[in-house]
Amino acid sequence: MSSAPFLNTLHTLLRLPREQGTVEFKSNLDEPSGIGRSLSALANTAALGRHDRAWVVWSVDDATRRVHGTCFDPFTCKARGNQSLMMWLQQITQPRADFEFYELQHAQGRVVLLEIQPSCSAPVASQQQRWICVDSHAVKLADHPDNGERLCAQLAQEDDWHGELVPGPAPADLA
């Protein structure tokens, strides 16, 4: 797959005035539980804000927005028990988080993007703890019950298809 779309995404994210609830810039964060916490917080924040995705970007200085390269490699990084990071993240998130890592080369160095889909059926937990972003900080969702209630109500509403017409077969389909 060409890295051109992801370079465009990177440049769009770099133009943001600061980190946001659905965008985090990291240098070399490679601690699996910290990545899991970010994954949970960003998936839940994206759902609450009705964003179509959230991002973690490795290789960017948050203050200057300069790309400096990263040595973090999600494709070779190991979590507990020598398990691959991606498999471990799938196992510690409930419901399972929907995410994808991408690697691209930038003129100033290697960049890693983590694209995170919003939670869709229930708030995503990492290691049995649900997180959400307040400003650009990952905090326990339980410490912000107003956000938790709004998120759960919103997810329940989006998941509720009762009362909607479901297209059925036309008479010609039955012949």
Side-chain angles (χ1 to χ4, degrees):
M1 174 180 260
S2 167
S3 65
F6 299 110
L7 281 172
N8 290 337
T9 298
L10 175 63
H11 291 295
T12 299
L13 297 173
L14 291 173
R15 286 192 296 271
L16 294 172
R18 61 183 178 83
E19 277 189 332
Q20 300 180 356
T22 55
V23 179
E24 287 187 11
F25 297 107
K26 301 292 183 195
S27 290
N28 287 308
L29 172 68
D30 63 356
E31 203 280 311
S33 62
I35 296 169
R37 182 173 43 251
S38 291
L39 184 58
S40 168
L42 290 164
N44 294 332
T45 303
L48 185 61
R50 298 184 190 269
H51 293 263
D52 63 345
R53 68 196 54 156
W55 297 94
V56 178
V57 183
W58 279 265
S59 178
V60 175
D61 181 87
D62 184 33
T64 65
R65 292 296 185 281
R66 288 203 172 122
V67 174
H68 51 73
T70 185
C71 60
F72 171 65
D73 186 348
F75 306 106
T76 61
C77 184
K78 299 293 182 186
R80 296 198 176 102
N82 206 30
Q83 187 174 31
S84 77
L85 175 65
M86 288 180 275
M87 180 61 71
W88 186 80
L89 289 170
Q90 285 293 315
Q91 290 178 347
I92 63 144
T93 55
Q94 292 295 326
R96 300 253 190 267
D98 185 3
F99 63 91
E100 189 74 37
F101 284 98
Y102 305 99
E103 177 183 27
L104 55 128
Q105 294 301 319
H106 185 274
Q108 278 70 48
R110 188 171 156 277
V111 176
V112 173
L113 298 173
L114 171 57
E115 179 183 28
I116 304 165
Q117 301 301 316
S119 50
C120 58
S121 61
V124 172
S126 174
Q127 296 181 300
Q128 302 176 0
Q129 180 68 58
R130 291 181 174 95
W131 300 87
I132 196 154
C133 293
V134 173
D135 192 24
S136 63
H137 304 285
V139 296
K140 292 178 182 175
L141 186 57
D143 292 342
H144 296 269
D146 55 328
N147 286 343
E149 290 171 14
R150 284 185 15 241
L151 177 59
C152 288
Q154 184 175 311
L155 292 172
Q157 181 182 28
E158 289 176 4
D159 197 37
D160 182 15
W161 52 268
H162 292 90
E164 293 181 21
L165 292 177
V166 177
D173 294 330
L174 300 174

